[in-house]
Amino acid sequence: MTAGYDPYAGQPGNQQPAPSPPPADGSETGQPPAPEAGAPARPGPLPPKMEPPQLAPPPPAAPQPWSGPGSPATQSWPTPGSPVVAAPQPRSAPPVHPPAGFPGAAPPPAARRRVSWPGVVALVLALFLAVVAGLQAVQINNLADQLAAADDRLADAQASDGSRFEGLEGRTGELEKQAGDVFNPEAISTVALPSVFRVSAGNSGGTAFAVGKPAEGGGTNLLTNYHVVESVWTSGGREVFIERRDQRFPAMIVRVDERNDVAQLVTTGAFTGLVTATEPVKSGQQVVVVGAPLGLEDSVTTGVVSAFRTMPGGGPSMIQFDAPINPGNSGGPVINGAKQVVGIATAKVADAEGVGLAIPIATACDGFQIC
């Protein structure tokens, strides 16, 4: 600083007190002498007037490329001999924020938050689970579509299998029918023989066979020719015997049809009845005749139906067949390839070969109602 320069000169409240002049009495205290007693008080001497410090002129300012308010070119510098007043330096005051809710107040600066790692982990885990759940939902949807497609294919396959099965059933039925049409004497004999018996009626003999459902009150119904039991029936007897191998069973004559040469027997033994045909026999059909010719039980012969004839003289209609029969075959069953009884063997033409006669089974069934 320049000697004698007071930066605070001329500022209010910044005047320094003037130094006191030396006392008039030459004292060094600088205090005025005490007034005499009774003397009026006098004002003390005025302090000397202080001249303001003189400042050296400031160096010339460098030329400025611009001018304007506040620029150096527009500023005035103190002249020599003028008091210099130092411009107060602005102080940075802390920012003042109006209270919250005050109109136009800016929101307070946001406080820096600390990162919550458990929350971040939970958020990441939730997002992962959501992605997994979405993938599973897609997979489940795909599986449902695949199952639906599989069900459709299975339904189509079942429908196709059902059609094939129906076709196989129809084919099986046709094959069974064809197999039934195939004549098999052995199979026919196996079914028929257990139901065929030799009949002993006094001095006569012949054949009888079980037929239809069991008799009323138990036992078995049998059919034979009337001429086989005629001697017993006309003599007033009713009991005859049926025999099979070494077994002998009593049987009763229940009813007779003299015109059609048919008789019904009943025995207490239980035997399987043969099935009777519902359709009339036709020429050319193969048949099996089972009986006891000349008392020889379980005899089987085969042949074909020659014709269906009406006997002369108003006799019953008869089936003509060429299977060999002999005395003792009377009353035996004539069976077709379907194992059904179509007639009852009755007689043969004497002095001829292969001309046998049988009563249609329908005649006996209609007359006795036991088939």
Side-chain angles (χ1 to χ4, degrees):
M1 291 223 132
T2 306
Y5 174 73
D6 186 358
Y8 298 98
Q11 297 294 332
N14 289 335
Q15 282 85 0
Q16 298 294 329
S20 301
D25 56 0
S27 64
E28 297 294 334
T29 61
Q31 298 294 334
E36 295 179 0
R42 293 183 304 173
L46 296 175
K49 183 178 180 180
M50 296 184 65
E51 296 294 334
Q54 299 295 323
L55 297 177
Q64 299 294 330
W66 54 271
S67 63
S71 62
T74 59
Q75 294 179 356
S76 59
W77 294 91
T79 57
S82 63
V84 177
V85 180
Q89 299 295 325
R91 298 180 181 180
S92 60
V96 179
H97 298 285
F102 191 83
R112 184 175 184 182
R113 296 181 180 178
R114 297 180 61 186
V115 177
S116 177
W117 290 110
V120 172
V121 172
L123 178 60
V124 172
L125 182 59
L127 292 176
F128 175 76
L129 293 177
V131 172
V132 171
L135 293 176
Q136 290 181 346
V138 172
Q139 293 177 351
I140 291 174
N141 189 23
N142 293 336
L143 289 176
D145 294 340
Q146 294 176 3
L147 288 175
D151 290 340
D152 294 339
R153 290 194 298 269
L154 180 59
D156 295 339
Q158 289 178 346
S160 178
D161 291 342
S163 300
R164 287 196 297 266
F165 183 72
E166 291 178 358
L168 288 175
E169 283 186 339
R171 181 60 178 167
T172 301
E174 292 177 0
L175 293 175
E176 288 179 351
K177 184 178 180 180
Q178 293 176 2
D181 294 340
V182 175
F183 189 68
N184 187 348
E186 181 181 359
I188 297 170
S189 300
T190 301
V191 173
L193 286 174
S195 301
V196 180
F197 303 88
R198 182 176 59 243
V199 177
S200 175
N203 296 326
S204 300
T207 303
F209 60 94
V211 66
K213 299 177 181 179
E216 295 180 2
T220 304
N221 290 312
L222 299 98
L223 291 175
T224 188
N225 286 139
Y226 169 69
H227 72 263
V228 173
V229 297
E230 182 178 2
S231 62
V232 176
W233 178 264
T234 57
S235 66
R238 296 293 182 269
E239 185 179 42
V240 295
F241 294 92
I242 58 175
E243 301 169 347
R244 177 170 176 75
R245 299 179 181 177
D246 58 350
Q247 294 180 324
R248 184 181 175 94
F249 305 95
M252 299 297 295
I253 304 171
V254 179
R255 285 181 292 181
V256 298
D257 182 357
E258 297 180 19
R259 180 178 181 277
N260 293 311
D261 196 18
V262 182
Q264 176 186 353
L265 307 179
V266 175
T267 182
T268 57
F271 303 99
T272 301
L274 296 178
V275 178
T276 58
T278 58
E279 297 293 333
V281 69
K282 296 179 180 179
S283 299
Q285 290 182 344
Q286 293 179 300
V287 292
V288 170
V289 180
V290 181
L294 305 176
L296 302 174
E297 64 180 357
D298 293 344
S299 294
V300 177
T301 59
T302 63
V304 297
V305 174
S306 302
F308 192 82
R309 301 189 181 279
T310 300
M311 301 307 293
S317 297
M318 303 291 284
I319 299 171
Q320 178 186 340
F321 59 91
D322 68 351
I325 61 173
N326 292 283
N329 279 113
S330 296
V334 179
I335 307 171
N336 64 13
K339 307 179 182 66
Q340 298 172 342
V341 178
V342 296
I344 303 172
T346 299
K348 62 174 290 188
V349 176
D351 302 328
E353 295 295 334
V355 181
L357 298 173
I359 300 170
I361 192 62
T363 302
C365 291
D366 293 342
F368 298 117
Q369 301 293 321
I370 59 173
C371 300

